[in-house]
Amino acid sequence: MSPQKKLHEWYLVHKRDLPFRKKKQAYPIWISEVMLQQTRVNAMLPLYESFIKRFPNPETLAEAEEEEVLANWKGLGYYSRARNIRKAAIFLVQNYNGAFPKDLNLVLKLPGIGNYTARAILSIAYDLPLAVLDGNVKRVLSRYHGYTDNILGAKADNELQKKADEFLNKDHPGDHNQAMMELGATLCLPESPKCLLCPLSEFCFARIHQKTSEIPLRVKDKKQVVLNGEIFVLNHKNSILLLREPKMRFLKGMFHLPYGFIGEVPEETYEPSPFFLSLKESYKGKTPNPIGEFKHTITHHKMVFSVFSLSLESRNLVEGLTKKFGVESKWVTLSDLDTEFPSSLASKVKKILLYLES
């Protein structure tokens, strides 16, 4: 029996019962694949089900305001993904009556959809013969073929994509891709792979040569950047100020608490906020001690935020700065803070504020 057939038979018996696998529909497959970027299945599932309940198709997603989409994305992080799926939904509704085109090049033109996501959607929903390549598949292929080069980077992506294409079960491409991902997620683990249960073990180079601890090779080029930041909670008559600064890359498009980074900051990543700098200057020498501190990590950036609480006698200063810098603002209650600012940052600040009140 061919390895592809053995893999397929294993998958049909052992695949996990996941909601986005129940029907071969492009929309739920797309949403699940985007959500699973940077998020584990168990953490993603309840958020996926509530999101699909609120936005069951591209039409409802396209009609929604961005703020509502972001609020329903809360808990998943990387909010540019939510903004992109809304933009893509609008494009699908306007150009394809809400359906996904059955063409790889057309799907790749949609906002936020790269090579892996496009191939996953088209192969699983439409059984098009397109092999996927994600982190799990890279690990399986590297061990199976004995690929000993660094699997990170464009060179490895191109070489492993060719191997994925060659290994694809063209009779069942959707099942094959899901089987490869399932294998990497449940058996071909980074540490202590369960080789005795693997349907590909008799063909696997790494198992045969006892190199599963050496393959795959992952050499990261980027070092983690540590950033020190400050967040200001500006209070006026039991309301808290939120801003939306269109030119800021971090938290772009989202209402957020006034924040800024201090010390050495990579300009290409986080540019300074004019509002924050002017606010700091206004309170120079009068800023109270921070009420708390928390850590926040995004990809290669480790952030440490100090939280300051300031009570305002009037809104004149804030209104002057928002007008000067073209910044949108709104005032919200503490109970609504993490709804209006749908980020784990808001939840961490709120936790500090509630602790002080208790």
Side-chain angles (χ1 to χ4, degrees):
M1 186 185 297
S2 70
Q4 289 88 342
K5 189 171 182 181
K6 289 196 71 171
L7 177 65
H8 187 237
E9 290 188 356
W10 170 84
Y11 174 71
L12 294 178
V13 174
H14 296 283
K15 64 180 178 180
R16 288 171 291 179
D17 183 21
L18 300 174
F20 43 86
R21 286 177 173 167
K22 296 186 183 300
K23 296 180 181 179
K24 286 192 171 186
Q25 295 178 340
Y27 177 74
I29 292 168
W30 168 42
I31 299 301
S32 70
E33 290 295 343
V34 175
M35 284 188 170
L36 283 170
Q37 296 166 12
Q38 310 291 340
T39 309
R40 294 185 180 278
V41 172
N42 289 340
M44 163 270 205
L45 281 178
L47 299 168
Y48 165 83
E49 290 175 337
S50 64
F51 191 92
I52 289 294
K53 184 178 181 179
R54 171 60 189 89
F55 309 111
N57 50 51
E59 288 78 9
T60 53
L61 184 54
E63 291 168 0
E65 294 295 327
E66 182 179 286
E67 286 183 40
E68 185 184 4
V69 177
L70 292 174
N72 280 272
W73 197 264
K74 185 187 172 185
L76 290 163
Y78 300 90
Y79 288 90
S80 60
R81 294 181 296 170
R83 285 189 283 270
N84 280 329
I85 62 169
R86 177 176 173 272
K87 291 176 185 176
I90 293 171
F91 186 85
L92 289 173
V93 170
Q94 292 177 345
N95 295 277
Y96 299 105
N97 295 318
F100 263 82
K102 298 180 181 181
D103 182 280
L104 179 61
N105 291 326
L106 292 178
V107 175
L108 284 171
K109 293 180 181 179
L110 295 173
I113 295 186
N115 189 49
Y116 162 76
T117 306
R119 287 169 173 264
I121 296 167
L122 295 176
S123 64
I124 299 171
Y126 303 135
D127 263 332
L128 296 186
L130 299 165
V132 301
L133 188 71
D134 71 348
N136 284 325
V137 177
K138 280 185 178 184
R139 184 166 58 255
V140 172
L141 288 172
S142 296
R143 286 175 173 162
Y144 182 86
H145 290 287
Y147 185 83
T148 56
D149 289 349
N150 180 19
I151 66 166
L152 303 180
K155 177 177 177 291
D157 285 348
N158 292 331
E159 293 175 349
L160 289 172
Q161 182 65 65
K162 290 179 182 177
K163 293 185 183 298
D165 294 340
E166 293 167 358
F167 192 63
L168 180 67
N169 183 339
K170 293 182 174 59
D171 293 328
H172 307 282
D175 281 354
H176 175 88
N177 282 332
Q178 292 180 92
M180 291 289 282
M181 292 184 280
E182 191 83 344
L183 194 63
T186 61
L187 297 185
C188 194
L189 305 172
E191 305 290 337
S192 303
K194 302 174 183 179
C195 297
L196 294 178
L197 302 175
C198 178
L200 301 180
S201 62
E202 66 180 284
F203 313 101
C204 178
F205 176 95
R207 187 203 66 81
I208 293 170
H209 295 88
Q210 299 182 340
K211 290 184 177 293
T212 55
S213 61
E214 301 170 30
I215 302 174
L217 175 66
R218 294 172 58 89
V219 181
K220 295 183 179 180
D221 293 330
K222 290 187 177 180
K223 294 182 179 179
Q224 192 173 56
V225 178
V226 178
L227 299 172
N228 293 304
E230 296 179 344
I231 288 182
F232 279 63
V233 180
L234 301 181
N235 302 280
H236 178 68
K237 294 183 178 180
N238 296 319
S239 295
I240 296 171
L241 175 70
L242 294 183
L243 306 173
R244 180 152 62 186
E245 301 176 87
K247 294 182 180 180
M248 299 292 284
R249 295 189 188 94
F250 182 52
L251 303 176
K252 181 179 180 181
M254 185 186 301
F255 275 100
H256 57 78
L257 292 163
Y259 76 91
F261 295 100
I262 57 178
E264 188 174 345
V265 179
E267 292 183 5
E268 71 277 7
T269 307
Y270 302 115
E271 69 280 33
S273 160
F275 181 98
F276 174 78
L277 294 176
S278 292
L279 184 67
K280 285 266 291 181
E281 186 63 28
S282 299
Y283 280 92
K284 191 172 183 179
K286 298 181 289 184
T287 306
N289 293 327
I291 60 173
E293 184 180 281
F294 65 85
K295 296 178 181 178
H296 188 73
T297 302
I298 299 179
T299 318
H300 301 293
H301 298 86
K302 180 180 179 181
M303 306 173 188
V304 180
F305 281 103
S306 297
V307 181
F308 296 84
S309 180
L310 299 169
S311 295
L312 305 179
E313 294 183 1
S314 75
R315 298 182 181 180
N316 292 340
L317 173 62
V318 167
E319 290 176 354
L321 292 178
T322 54
K323 184 177 181 180
K324 178 179 179 180
F325 298 114
V327 174
E328 293 182 71
S329 66
K330 64 179 176 181
W331 296 84
V332 303
T333 62
L334 176 58
S335 60
D336 290 335
L337 178 61
D338 46 3
T339 301
E340 298 290 343
F341 175 20
S343 165
S344 60
L345 284 170
S347 300
K348 292 172 182 177
V349 172
K350 186 174 181 179
K351 185 177 180 180
I352 292 172
L353 294 171
L354 291 174
Y355 176 77
L356 290 176
E357 289 184 357
S358 63

